[in-house]
Amino acid sequence: MAKEKKVEQITDMDVDFGQWFTDVVIRSELIGYSGVKGFFILRPYGYAIWENIQAELDRRFKDTGHENISMPLLITESLLQKEKDHVEGFAPECAWVTFGGSEELEERLAIRPTSEVLFCDHWQQIVQSWRDLPKLYNQWASVLRWEKSTRPFLRHREFLWQEGHTVHATAEEAIAETEQMLEIYADVYENVLAMPCLKGVKTDKEKFAGAERTYCVECMMHDKKGLQAGTSHYFGDGFTKAFDITFTDKTNTLQHPHQTSWGFSTRSIGGIIMTHGDNNGLVLPPRIAPIQAIVIPIGMHKPGVLEKASELVSRLKTVGIRVKCDESDQTPGWKFAEYEMKGVPLRIEIGPKDIENGQCVAARRDNGEKVTIPLAALETKATELLDDIQISLFNKAKENLDKNTRNAATLDEAKAILNEHGGFIKTMWCGSRECELSMKAEADVTSRCLPFEQERIGDTCPICGKPGDKMVVWGVAY
Amino acid sequence: MAKEKKVEQITDMDVDFGQWFTDVVIRSELIGYSGVKGFFILRPYGYAIWENIQAELDRRFKDTGHENISMPLLITESLLQKEKDHVEGFAPECAWVTFGGSEELEERLAIRPTSEVLFCDHWQQIVQSWRDLPKLYNQWASVLRWEKSTRPFLRHREFLWQEGHTVHATAEEAIAETEQMLEIYADVYENVLAMPCLKGVKTDKEKFAGAERTYCVECMMHDKKGLQAGTSHYFGDGFTKAFDITFTDKTNTLQHPHQTSWGFSTRSIGGIIMTHGDNNGLVLPPRIAPIQAIVIPIGMHKPGVLEKASELVSRLKTVGIRVKCDESDQTPGWKFAEYEMKGVPLRIEIGPKDIENGQCVAARRDNGEKVTIPLAALETKATELLDDIQISLFNKAKENLDKNTRNAATLDEAKAILNEHGGFIKTMWCGSRECELSMKAEADVTSRCLPFEQERIGDTCPICGKPGDKMVVWGVAY
């Protein structure tokens, strides 16, 4: 009974994917609403996922020589205006502080929408010589963008992220950094979040305000829409010139250094939900699940059951599995539904009969399979199952991405495919912004990226018919 | 030469303690200035200290059942006004957002000065039954308070901290929580930051806006001034009534729960500097030092030196010591001064002669002592030295606290002691606010706390002469 009731509470994903998403986010207690539109509470279960993602990213950042730093929350309007493209991109969506206590400020202050200008202002003070380079910085912070329409995880007015900012002696070094960080993002998506991704470059139209080049990882959600999942920007020396950052190189010549930035946000959690979730709720990849295994005692009040359950917990903890036992007075059925909703990868049931037989029963969240495990093999089997769930989730998502990415040689073909199947299409492209805009107007898709792995699908741009030697992936995106 | 030059750059602490502090903060690259007064950049070396403190606190919070959460940055003015004492305390120092993009907001939004009202608003939505209690939450965040005068680490307009917020079924549980968290703060101060502290209760005058009772840890700096180093507040049901938070208890009766909050900030880093620092710069307790040992190769270009230095680094890493080798082309003298300035607890010198003799030389940052270590004993000896430095720093600070805390039976005695020695004085107190204000007016000190460890210094209040059964510690504080 309890189980059916719970499941009723979320909308069927095939009926209304958007409502299903919101239902899952609320029912699995990831997000709470606050009194200000677009400002969400990341509840403990949601925040714990973010902490696990943070740990994976932070370790990789430090292993590649980056240092964490904390920049101020507020930016003077004049500082924000120093780089022309950047201010055009961000000023319209800034939140502005105009009073400090009861005093009106002489110059209004923007809450950071991103922190490029703060880093540049700092580098201008501390970079003098080639000895000071590179500076490889990262900041874990929240930023504000005053979006019109908002949605949990996908579009917040305030969101948590990391923003890396680096400055280098040469363009080559800065480009290598930009690419390295994109590879780290792709590694975390594929090997930690079990989300396959396309790696590529954004078109000029889609690149970051002020960047020379924006690299991105793009994922496909269960509903075949795309998600821009992380970006890494190469700035050249545009900002460093605007901010008058110079260094003397080894030959004593004054130079402008080259700059990058790269960001990964809580949006990724939205991606996890929409990639792996199902009609019973959340499905979490084991590597970032706050609880990897939940032990449910059956016939809890029978002698020996709770003791045995807590023995299983201890044993699983010793092999590094994040495990809990639910000893609350709710029914097993209620608990099954609850931890399915919360996407816990593995459920372990233990009751009097299991104890008698020297076994427990493990149920996989990803496919519902139940396996009887001899207690003697608990640690090995649980570890194997978690590894297998991680891989199965990736494979399933990869199948979805591959199956729903199709080639199109003509505009009509592209439109027909999109009408019938949705998903991503690959076409050649001449490189002109006009054709990119036409594609949007005609087929209602935007360019996701020019993948690193280019293919040849004919040799003309299907929009204008002129020669096209670039392959673009197009799709509808969140 | 290089060394003398560096040391010249910081003011002698006995000449001008305040200037010495600022010099150390800047020269050791903990802090950078931004374009907005009171908003400081926590540079990588300063932030790494904070990360180490965070890890120590966060582990203790989680071990005692707390969960991390992320609350919004902004608070509507009406929400902030719900609790009368609280809004009086904080509204005058809020920064106010009045525009989102180009649109003027209907209601202005405060950047959180602290988040009690946000937690209460959330609990009002999610707490219904005794089953939902307690909620034990913590948030790592920055908060804003529009202070008139600002100073690195000690008084920022924006500062990093953790704020714990909990809600409980009973007053007893909430009080136990408040006391538990104070003990955790004291544990971290004494056993991690090597800073002895007084644990006690604030007077009504000094307690937090809206709290029933504020517990605190108070430390003494090298210049004998006090530092309020962490606070833990018991709110009773004042806020939960104001916010209409109720739960049905086990007997099905509707009740208001009881609440706590507690905070620990980057101010603690100011405390570390002013407790342990000296005229050569920072002195860091090993347990939070980002670099615990620095290896300096001597005669770096002689064959085998760099190889041996990097072997030492590997060996020290395997026993968990945070260690680096400086292979830059600066002179050894420059490097000695640099890592002294940065407070690295242990310097390890290795040159051709040392290698010949199968030894290295270790220099302690805390007392300058040099010890020759046989290479075979490197790991053991380095670990022992770091442990000993940790304990010695605590003992030295404890001696300073004990030596400069004196009893006074009369107001004249108190004034004479403070004039001659400064530091803390202990007196009895009748408990009236008038006497507390008189003490401030007459002796220019404020009440630091009523220590848990009460003593009897006569039985009258030295200010009014009436019976006084409470012992207060008074002092000048940052």
Side-chain angles (χ1 to χ4, degrees), chain A residues 51 68 94 98 101 131 329, chain B residues 51 68 94 96 98 101 131 329:
Chain A
E51 284 185 307
N68 286 335
C94 283
T98 56
R131 286 173 191 274
D329 59 359
Chain B
E51 283 186 307
N68 286 336
C94 283
W96 294 98
T98 56
R131 285 173 191 274
D329 59 359

Side-chain angles (χ1 to χ4, degrees), chain B residues 231-283:
Chain B
T231 45
S232 182
H233 315 291
Y234 168 62
F235 289 100
D237 56 9
F239 275 75
T240 64
K241 281 181 176 160
F243 282 79
D244 195 26
I245 305 167
T246 55
F247 70 100
T248 46
D249 68 13
K250 289 186 185 176
T251 67
N252 223 20
T253 312
L254 211 60
Q255 303 258 18
H256 290 289
H258 293 72
Q259 184 197 354
T260 86
S261 79
W262 24 280
F264 189 112
S265 78
T266 42
R267 184 162 229 240
S268 55
I269 301 178
I272 295 168
I273 302 167
M274 294 196 294
T275 303
H276 304 302
D278 65 21
N279 278 330
N280 291 330
L282 210 56
V283 177

